[in-house]
Amino acid sequence: MSNKKMRLAVLKELEKGNKNFSHEDLEISADEFVKIFESLESEGLIREVDYYMGPSVDVNSVKLTIKGEEYLTDNSALMKTYKGLKEIRDWFKV
């Protein structure tokens, strides 16, 4: 699966207000999930990320920044293929 697709999927879910997804929904390890959030936060695309031992991320606290919104807009062509977390498994296999 493409790292760019994964990042876009996470940002899109946050934009939609979905706070009920986890690494299991994305079919990745908890470590990979945390690394995606660390990357998005370090680039200023999200903020207010709470990390916990385990490792895990509290998605409820995460906020999309203006820069994150712009990132989604800039990548809107790819996002047109994204139809929500329910279909995410098929989307990542492409």
Side-chain angles (χ1 to χ4, degrees), residues 5-39:
K5 283 184 181 180
M6 183 63 65
R7 293 162 48 90
L8 285 167
V10 168
L11 290 173
K12 187 64 176 176
E13 290 304 316
L14 294 171
E15 179 188 51
K16 293 185 335 187
N18 182 2
K19 303 291 182 156
N20 296 315
F21 67 99
S22 70
H23 67 93
E24 293 158 339
D25 297 313
L26 303 174
E27 296 185 338
I28 60 174
S29 72
D31 286 333
E32 290 172 302
F33 194 66
V34 169
K35 286 178 185 176
I36 288 168
F37 279 85
E38 288 172 339
S39 171

Side-chain angles (χ1 to χ4, degrees), residues 78-94:
L78 183 57
M79 289 312 301
K80 288 180 183 176
T81 63
Y82 181 76
K83 296 183 181 175
L85 198 56
K86 291 180 183 175
E87 299 173 16
I88 202 162
R89 289 184 182 108
D90 293 333
W91 193 69
F92 284 125
K93 292 178 184 174
V94 172

